[in-house]
Amino acid sequence: MNTTAAQSSPTGEAGPLSTARTGDIHLWTRTLIPTTREAPADATTPSHVYLVRAGFIRQLAAGVYDYLPLAWRSLRKIQEIVRQEHERIGAMEMLFPAMEPVSLLKQTGRDKAYGDDLFTLQDRHGRDIALAPTHEEPIVEMMKGAITSYKQLPLSLYQIQTKFRDEPRPRSGLLRCREFIMKDAYSFHLNQQGEGGLDVAYDHFYDAYTRIFTRCGLTFTAVEAESGPIGGSASHEFMVHAESGEDKVLVCPASGYAANVEKAEIGERAWSFDGEAAQELKKHHTPNMPGIEGVAQHLGTNAAGMLKTIVFERVLSDPSKTKYVLAVVRGDHDVNEGKVRDAVGSGVKLADEAQAKADGLAIGYVSPSAFAKLTGATIVVDPDAAQGGTAWATGADEMDHHVTGWHWGRDLGYEVERLKVADIRNAEAGDPSPRAVGSTLQVQRGIEVGHIFKLGTKYSDAMEFKVLAEDQKPRAVTMGCYGIGVSRTMAACVEMSHDENGIVWPAAVAPYHVEIILMKAEDEKQKKIASELAQKLAERGADVLIDDRNERPGPKFKDADLIGIPVRLTLGDKALDAGGVEFKLRKDTGKGEVVAFDSVIDRCISALETA
RNA sequence: CAGGGUGUAGCUCAGCUUGGUAGAGCACCUGCUUUGGGAGCAGGAUGUCGCAGGUUCGAAUCCUGUCACCCUGACCA
């Protein structure tokens, strides 16, 4: 067999206009596929276990992985799909540096926004350099110098590149890395609405993302999301359904509404401060009880019987004038900072603990009663906490003490009139749907593989990126940005598609389409047939891996299942005597079937096309 | 960052309590046999016991420090 590892144009010299693609043919013994029988001790997630065991990746440091030949082939296929779909919506590919001056990030304040997540270093002159976590600043910097007129808009640019984020806790193999491959795109517009506007481009990217993840064989949902440190208005996350996913998505089966847990709205809930006090207010000594569950138990109730008061402060231009915002939720609920922000109509952050204590707030033991003693403060109450008929357990506004029998009307008095009631907590399974009366939200776990944002002029304002509009006046450029975690997408494919024997690759992202197993690697006849089959498959565009190792059948079949190539052809005496080869799809269980030589190529191709 | 855990051969791990100078299985190399779902026999090679100090006649083992990695949470395009 003369098959070489480096297969290119089989028909002749490749000229400058010839980039004809035909399939690759690689020999197992001439590439590197270090499969292992046992999983590394520290791998717990399926994609991590199988990508390591199947010889796709190896870990170099926490959240830093080598991509071995198989992984790189899959990644390139994902990248190719990404390129084709970006090409389709008219986005142009380019490449930015991986490093950028920290001073650039200071212009938008994102050096602080990213904080310790930013990898930084100093060059020989002592200049601070960051390894880019994303590229809004460099692209705006470049565009500022490159375009000056509205006539050059709209424009969409993208790149596929390694990104760096010093995650506090990398985990789950490729799902959460400190160095990872990302596709990031940026669009530029004169306006948000109308022809050539951001809204149009956003929809195009939304559609492109839908096609990309569909082509990758993923089951996913596009959910409404918070924009996080990237900023901006509208935002959607593309979430692959997977148990190992870190993100929680709330969905309403009746309306199709789907949103990230940080963003999900909750439907109407009944609330009222009316109702008589049923119990006496009683103080309890509760020292050294970390966790609301412990306190609740001590007080003879549960977390749902308690009120939790979180102290925020408004983000003001004059930081010396602290204005507190008390957010009250039921003890078993979590306050959602974004919803608090929306409810009070200004930016908020958790109050500085030392300052709050100096102002008389017993952090950790605050009750809604504290509101009566504060001047200029705001209080927002979640509907589930705004129940006047309940005798609540809550803090005693005194260190190491709680109270039971607390009552809104009796214990906050006339202040009840000044209470604001709003949805300020994270949604949970079973909450009423915001879009369909009578329906409840359900929780799904997901892996975020894509995220798109309408940035508006956040970055162009900060960096003074303007173009001249038709009215001859300078106008800040409206932007969108669009990211796909390429390496994470590969891992998501494995999370979605595997069985107890290994990976089951969707054909579009499989490192090879067909694996040919030689039962007797030394047998000249088998080698010749394998070579001929591979050649024909390659001419039809299929990538072929030939397992030519001089191994016994057992390990070869086990490895074939492990690395998960969609189509398997086995060349052995059994099938050869019957006048063909054994054909089996990875996703099918049981034995394969013998298919005659003259029809097996068509069979392979059609199986791949319908996969 | 808080809490928990682990570092011994390429991989998975035992040995540590009670100190005496390094082990198993798999993988690897050689030979023979074997060849349709992780073969058998025989022989062989493989270690700075994470690192640095300390105690001791003697440390993988005890003590101190330190580094790395994993898990839960916090955090997070």
Side-chain angles (χ1 to χ4, degrees):
Chain A
M1 189 182 323
N2 292 322
T3 312
T4 59
Q7 153 83 19
S8 61
S9 163
T11 53
E13 293 297 308
L17 298 180
S18 165
T19 50
R21 291 192 64 250
T22 59
D24 293 330
I25 301 172
H26 293 165
L27 297 178
W28 192 300
T29 56
R30 295 290 91 203
T31 181
L32 180 65
I33 310 175
T35 59
T36 65
R37 207 160 161 169
E38 283 169 295
D42 50 23
T44 51
T45 339
S47 67
H48 189 192
V49 169
Y50 285 133
L51 286 171
V52 172
R53 280 197 55 208
F56 282 67
I57 59 171
R58 287 286 168 102
Q59 186 182 53
L60 181 63
V64 180
Y65 287 85
D66 308 323
Y67 304 115
L68 276 62
L70 287 186
W72 189 239
R73 291 188 62 85
S74 279
L75 287 168
R76 279 173 54 194
K77 294 193 177 190
I78 294 169
Q79 291 174 22
E80 192 52 34
I81 292 171
V82 166
R83 288 195 172 96
Q84 288 171 6
E85 295 301 338
H86 280 69
E87 186 78 12
R88 190 205 287 254
I89 60 169
M92 292 296 143
E93 185 173 7
M94 58 175 296
L95 184 63
F96 282 95
M99 64 171 78
E100 59 179 321
V102 170
S103 57
L104 194 57
L105 287 165
K106 283 188 177 154
Q107 294 183 24
T108 56
R110 284 215 300 174
D111 56 328
K112 289 202 178 64
Y114 270 106
D116 288 339
D117 278 11
L118 205 59
F119 272 110
T120 55
L121 55 102
Q122 286 195 333
D123 69 12
R124 67 200 303 161
H125 303 292
R127 290 179 290 226
D128 291 319
I129 306 287
L131 297 178
T134 170
H135 276 80
E136 282 79 7
E137 289 84 357
I139 199 167
V140 170
E141 180 72 8
M142 181 277 290
M143 288 290 285
K144 272 170 71 175
I147 76 165
T148 48
S149 159
Y150 75 96
K151 293 176 186 171
Q152 292 165 291
L153 301 178
L155 183 67
S156 295
L157 298 169
Y158 76 99
Q159 65 170 343
I160 298 174
Q161 195 209 36
T162 301
K163 292 286 191 285
F164 300 88
R165 291 182 195 176
D166 198 356
E167 293 285 347
R169 187 152 91 80
R171 67 188 95 171
S172 306
L174 295 188
L175 289 178
R176 181 152 224 88
C177 284
R178 296 196 298 167
E179 175 179 333
F180 56 97
I181 300 173
M182 175 167 148
K183 184 283 310 181
D184 47 322
Y186 307 87
S187 70
F188 302 90
H189 316 269
L190 187 64
N191 300 303
Q192 170 131 2
Q193 281 119 21
E195 193 181 345
L198 170 61
D199 291 346
V200 174
Y202 189 86
D203 290 345
H204 285 166
F205 274 99
Y206 186 103
D207 293 342
Y209 275 39
T210 301
R211 283 193 295 269
I212 287 165
F213 297 125
T214 302
R215 287 181 63 184
C216 287
L218 293 167
T219 307
F220 62 95
T221 310
V223 308
E224 293 180 16
E226 275 287 330
S227 5
I230 293 280
S233 52
S235 168
H236 284 87
E237 288 173 341
F238 289 77
M239 299 290 226
V240 171
H241 308 166
E243 272 312 300
S244 54
E246 296 185 281
D247 297 286
K248 279 187 185 165
V249 175
L250 288 138
V251 296
C252 164
S255 62
Y257 174 80
N260 185 305
V261 67
E262 278 86 37
K263 181 78 175 177
E265 303 159 32
I266 303 173
E268 284 295 315
R269 285 171 284 161
W271 60 271
S272 168
F273 289 115
D274 298 339
E276 292 302 312
Q279 287 179 21
E280 293 295 307
L281 190 67
K282 193 174 166 193
K283 197 197 285 187
H284 304 262
H285 190 46
T286 54
N288 303 319
M289 288 189 182
I292 199 152
E293 291 291 347
V295 175
Q297 199 173 358
H298 182 79
L299 298 175
T301 178
N302 56 27
M306 296 194 66
L307 292 179
K308 192 157 66 176
T309 306
I310 309 295
V311 183
F312 291 91
E313 57 184 89
R314 288 181 190 264
V315 178
L316 300 169
S317 49
D318 180 0
S320 67
K321 293 178 184 168
T322 307
K323 291 205 170 183
Y324 290 108
V325 174
L326 302 183
V328 185
V329 297
R330 223 167 64 186
D332 56 329
H333 291 147
D334 291 322
V335 171
N336 180 306
E337 191 174 317
K339 289 182 177 180
V340 173
R341 180 193 63 214
D342 293 344
V344 303
S346 79
V348 295
K349 62 177 183 185
L350 273 181
D352 179 73
E353 190 168 336
Q355 180 63 45
K357 281 183 176 166
D359 289 336
L361 288 160
I363 297 293
Y365 302 88
V366 178
S367 86
S369 298
F371 175 62
K373 292 175 269 178
L374 295 168
T375 50
T378 310
I379 185 165
V380 191
V381 187
D382 185 75
D384 290 319
Q387 303 293 335
T390 306
W392 294 98
T394 186
D397 295 303
E398 177 183 338
M399 295 309 287
D400 297 334
H401 288 81
H402 282 81
V403 296
T404 52
W406 192 90
H407 182 257
W408 282 103
R410 183 191 64 201
D411 296 315
L412 202 54
Y414 71 94
E415 300 291 352
V416 167
E417 305 303 318
R418 290 165 56 194
L419 300 175
K420 181 176 175 60
V421 176
D423 170 21
I424 55 166
R425 68 167 172 89
N426 284 344
E428 293 179 349
D431 283 337
S433 164
R435 297 286 184 277
V437 176
S439 178
T440 56
L441 294 172
Q442 298 178 355
V443 170
Q444 286 179 352
R445 293 192 79 85
I447 301 165
E448 178 191 345
V449 289
H451 201 158
I452 58 179
F453 305 83
K454 289 183 184 176
L455 291 177
T457 56
K458 174 178 165 145
Y459 291 89
S460 22
D461 284 340
M463 297 178 68
E464 297 186 351
F465 173 30
K466 296 182 167 81
V467 294
L468 271 189
E470 203 168 4
D471 57 10
Q472 303 190 354
K473 288 180 182 154
R475 181 116 41 108
V477 173
T478 295
M479 291 175 58
C481 79
Y482 318 89
I484 289 179
V486 174
S487 41
R488 184 184 277 181
T489 297
M490 178 172 76
C493 289
V494 179
E495 287 295 330
M496 254 205 56
S497 185
H498 65 267
D499 62 19
E500 66 280 7
N501 294 316
I503 305 170
V504 184
W505 284 108
V509 296
Y512 296 92
H513 300 110
V514 180
E515 174 174 344
I516 300 178
I517 295 183
L518 299 182
M519 294 306 293
K520 292 179 180 168
E522 307 284 286
D523 185 296
E524 289 302 326
K525 185 180 169 196
Q526 288 188 13
K527 283 202 272 191
K528 183 163 175 292
I529 296 171
S531 182
E532 288 168 5
L533 286 174
Q535 206 60 239
K536 286 179 185 161
L537 284 164
E539 284 164 15
R540 301 280 295 271
D543 295 329
V544 184
L545 176 66
I546 301 175
D547 187 351
D548 61 334
R549 291 176 301 169
N550 192 16
E551 282 286 349
R552 294 168 54 84
K556 292 186 146 186
F557 288 130
K558 288 286 184 192
D559 278 348
D561 287 345
L562 190 55
I563 69 173
I565 307 303
V567 178
R568 189 181 88 190
L569 298 180
T570 307
L571 284 182
D573 290 337
K574 275 187 190 171
L576 290 177
D577 291 346
V581 295
E582 183 187 297
F583 171 95
K584 181 182 176 298
L585 297 180
R586 173 63 179 86
K587 66 183 178 191
D588 290 344
T589 51
K591 292 275 178 186
E593 55 174 308
V594 175
V595 176
F597 289 118
D598 55 11
S599 59
V600 74
I601 304 295
D602 284 339
R603 185 72 183 275
C604 289
I605 299 300
S606 70
L608 289 165
E609 281 169 351
T610 56

